[in-house]
Amino acid sequence: INPQYFDMWWGTLGTIRPFPNFHPDRDAADIQAALERKDAAALVRILTNRSNAQRRAVAQSFQDETKQDLSGALKKVLSGELEELLLQLLMLPEQLEAQRLKAAMAGLGTDEETLLEILCSRSRKTLQEVAAVYRQMYNKDLEKELKAETSGDFARLVVALLNKAVTAGSVRRDVQALAASLSGKKAEAGPWINILTSRDSDHLDKVLMELELETGQTVGQLVEKRFSGDFRLGLRVLVQCIQNPEVYLAQRLLTMKTSLVQGIMVSHSEEDLLRIRAAFLRLSGSSLYSTLQKHFKGEQLLALQAVCRSED
């Protein structure tokens, strides 16, 4: 068995692990048979039980065997949200995030919260990969597209998040700068953008904790009181992602909106979905696995539960 299929996932907090007895050509043949039978359950079973690297190897075997692109073949047999979900499973993680960003900016009105979710919860390195893939997929510059969709302080925040640069700072000085930015008649956005997008998370945890001690209010309360509009939303999401990203993502899942549930679960399935599941249980009192049952059905439910993996 090729060791590359087992890269990096063991011991992570993902729910999808590499399939131990893996034979891409066998999977490709089984998928071909399932496509001929229009057997969606068999397609779901294979694709949700392989890691991303393994799914890509299967897609390659399928192409070598049939001279067809697997995504294209799935589109002919499936439709709607299940099709969307299985196509997402075949993408590289950074392709999926690029696609989600594109969708958030499509049409009238921008889905600011999806932009923020991805920009706030992903590392600089990941976002650089997403931006590179975005250019390949859409022949557009992600930063320019973000600027075109946003304005004012919110635009500055979004661009700073895309280009996160970690620079060292002093906790004390950062706390003073943030406190000072709130002291005038109108709160200043600048220090919040600069500090919150350019320090590592341990440093920011300390800064936010000290700021709360100093002001006697939670950072959430300060943000709600002193800022407004999209920029307030942006800071709210950013602060949540600094303090507790899995709780923020679990709150997003509570909406049970199909596109959100599928996007978040697939893109976090090999990294930290176990953490998000635990946070979901704490927030809602019921497991993600059984909550999915109330909102989805058929093969789509099978696929989502397979990505979720098990009851908590």
Side-chain angles (χ1 to χ4, degrees):
I1 292 175
N2 188 328
Q4 81 179 57
Y5 300 127
F6 291 87
D7 59 353
M8 77 188 255
W9 300 125
W10 293 109
T12 67
L13 292 159
T15 52
I16 291 186
R17 303 285 168 88
F19 190 67
N21 188 15
F22 178 55
H23 300 281
D25 29 3
R26 199 183 299 166
D27 284 346
D30 289 346
I31 284 177
Q32 203 183 340
L35 286 166
E36 281 161 20
R37 297 194 306 272
K38 294 194 161 63
D39 181 352
L43 296 170
V44 165
R45 193 183 62 248
I46 298 168
L47 293 173
T48 56
N49 277 297
R50 306 293 182 268
S51 70
N52 189 271
Q54 290 176 332
R55 292 191 289 266
R56 291 206 309 284
V58 172
Q60 189 57 58
S61 283
F62 183 87
Q63 181 138 25
D64 295 344
E65 246 347 273
T66 65
K67 305 292 171 266
Q68 284 185 65
D69 168 59
L70 179 52
S71 297
L74 288 174
K75 282 180 191 169
K76 288 188 185 126
V77 170
L78 300 170
S79 62
E81 287 155 344
L82 179 66
E83 175 195 324
E84 181 76 11
L85 178 63
L86 294 188
L87 291 177
Q88 287 180 342
L89 285 167
L90 289 177
M91 290 180 176
L92 283 164
E94 49 273 24
Q95 287 173 326
L96 175 53
E97 296 298 48
Q99 187 198 55
R100 294 182 67 217
L101 287 168
K102 183 73 175 165
M105 294 187 277
L108 281 172
T110 306
D111 173 3
E112 286 86 5
E113 188 137 8
T114 295
L115 295 182
L116 290 165
E117 173 216 308
I118 295 169
L119 294 171
C120 293
S121 67
R122 295 298 185 191
S123 68
R124 174 196 168 105
K125 183 176 171 294
T126 300
L127 290 173
Q128 284 175 327
E129 287 163 7
V130 171
V133 166
Y134 192 94
R135 185 182 283 282
Q136 279 167 3
M137 286 169 76
Y138 304 112
N139 204 13
K140 296 267 174 71
D141 179 77
L142 178 55
E143 183 173 324
K144 280 186 184 145
E145 297 251 282
L146 287 167
K147 279 181 183 162
E149 289 291 324
T150 55
S151 60
D153 289 334
F154 184 61
R156 286 168 57 209
L157 175 66
V158 165
V159 170
L161 284 166
L162 179 63
N163 302 311
K164 291 179 183 128
V166 175
T167 52
S170 127
V171 171
R172 193 71 221 119
R173 271 206 299 276
D174 284 350
V175 172
Q176 285 166 338
L178 291 176
S181 75
L182 298 171
S183 62
K185 229 189 189 93
K186 188 177 183 309
E188 288 168 58
W192 290 79
I193 296 172
N194 299 343
I195 293 167
L196 266 52
T197 62
S198 70
R199 306 280 191 265
D200 67 50
S201 51
D202 291 345
H203 176 95
L204 287 173
D205 272 335
K206 292 182 190 125
V207 169
L208 297 179
M209 218 151 36
E210 285 203 19
L211 184 66
E212 292 186 344
L213 289 171
E214 196 145 307
T215 59
Q217 296 178 60
T218 68
V219 179
Q221 288 167 330
L222 294 171
V223 166
E224 291 303 312
K225 272 188 196 146
R226 299 305 321 265
F227 296 102
S228 60
D230 286 345
F231 184 68
R232 173 167 65 191
L233 172 69
L235 283 187
R236 185 193 305 149
V237 173
L238 179 51
V239 166
Q240 284 180 295
C241 286
I242 291 163
Q243 293 179 325
N244 218 327
E246 54 272 16
V247 170
Y248 171 68
L249 291 164
Q251 281 169 342
R252 298 269 285 155
L253 289 177
L254 283 172
T255 63
M256 282 291 136
K257 268 179 66 179
T258 306
S259 62
L260 268 187
V261 170
Q262 295 191 165
I264 292 173
M265 285 181 64
V266 173
S267 68
H268 289 267
S269 60
E270 290 184 45
E271 288 174 50
D272 54 359
L273 190 52
L274 288 174
R275 273 208 183 116
I276 297 167
R277 252 173 45 183
F280 188 95
L281 182 62
R282 289 198 306 274
L283 280 174
S284 69
S286 61
S287 74
L288 178 56
Y289 194 85
S290 52
T291 306
L292 290 167
Q293 247 160 343
K294 299 187 188 110
H295 295 269
F296 300 98
K297 51 185 189 294
E299 279 92 10
Q300 190 191 8
L301 172 64
L302 273 183
L304 286 170
Q305 285 190 319
V307 173
C308 181
R309 256 316 166 262
S310 63
E311 200 44 277
D312 286 304

